[in-house]
Amino acid sequence: MESFDDERFHAEIQLELIRYIDTRLEQIELLLHKLDRLARLAVRDNAQEAERKQLQAEVIRLQQEIDRIASQLNISPD
């Protein structure tokens, strides 16, 4: 990504980009908290294999969502 000092990024555009990025990072942070919770559930002594498989499926879904959001952060001024 080019520097925000680039003349193509006016102050209003810079602020819009920062808000956009901040929102996406907040979404990723929430997903990471969910991943942490799922990991803690999976390592419990009483977690059954079927439950662990369900948790793993949810982990994969959350990872895909994080990847999708991260791909949206590839911002170009052109």
Side-chain angles (χ1 to χ4, degrees):
M1 176 157 72
E2 305 236 355
S3 168
F4 278 170
D5 294 333
D6 189 313
E7 59 201 39
R8 293 175 283 182
F9 285 107
H10 302 299
E12 293 171 11
I13 294 173
Q14 290 178 15
L15 185 56
E16 184 178 327
L17 283 172
I18 290 169
R19 286 182 180 150
Y20 175 80
I21 292 168
D22 188 53
T23 299
R24 297 302 176 253
L25 291 175
E26 286 176 1
Q27 290 173 337
I28 290 173
E29 182 179 18
L30 289 173
L31 293 170
L32 290 172
H33 285 292
K34 288 180 182 181
L35 285 172
D36 179 63
R37 182 179 51 83
L38 293 174
R40 291 173 192 272
L41 289 172
V43 298
R44 293 177 308 166
D45 289 338
N46 62 346
Q48 301 296 316
E49 186 63 27
E51 182 183 10
R52 284 191 173 110
K53 285 183 179 183
Q54 288 177 326
L55 293 170
Q56 182 60 37
E58 181 65 8
V59 164
I60 291 168
R61 189 190 71 72
L62 292 174
Q63 288 173 327
Q64 290 170 340
E65 181 66 9
I66 289 170
D67 289 343
R68 184 190 67 76
I69 294 168
S71 71
Q72 293 174 343
L73 291 177
N74 186 10
I75 301 167
S76 175
D78 297 341

